[in-house]
Amino acid sequence: MADQTGKTVEEGKGVLHKIHKHSPNSRQVLGFVTLIASGATILVLGGLALGGVAITLILAIPVLVVASPVLIPAGIVLFTGTAIFLAVGGAIAATMSALSWVYNYFKGRHPPGSDKLDATGRSIADRASQMRDMAREYGGQMQSKVWDASARA
């Protein structure tokens, strides 16, 4: 049976079935609506906050201009004091941590990284021993050359 467009009724049902099959379910629709509502709410609240900041700046700029001879040096002093306090505190914490590590190392408690330190120490000692042996060998060669040169003279 064909309709006016020339398609059969069965073909039309197939297209509707495909559209229905790919349509979102109620959970997806509810999630999308919630997303739109929360996005709009955040957008409105962000606009209100931006407007509040703009109004506050408009009202506060004259006060800041009048009080700037006092506020700028006070801000510099506060910033410098805070920076010094944090720097000294960090240096003290790092020093205490290093001293604790050294104390634990010498007590034999094997703090993290002590195995690498021991391996590096052994490597340096082995290299120093090799250099000592090479120096003795080279020194012996030079001494024999000096004796040969003095014997010829």
Side-chain angles (χ1 to χ4, degrees), residues 101-111:
W101 189 92
V102 169
Y103 176 77
N104 287 329
Y105 180 76
F106 284 118
K107 283 291 196 176
R109 296 184 184 147
H110 302 291

Side-chain angles (χ1 to χ4, degrees), residues 116-131:
K116 290 182 181 179
L117 181 67
D118 294 337
T120 303
R122 284 191 296 273
S123 174
I124 290 173
D126 291 344
R127 188 65 179 158
S129 175
Q130 291 173 357
M131 294 301 289

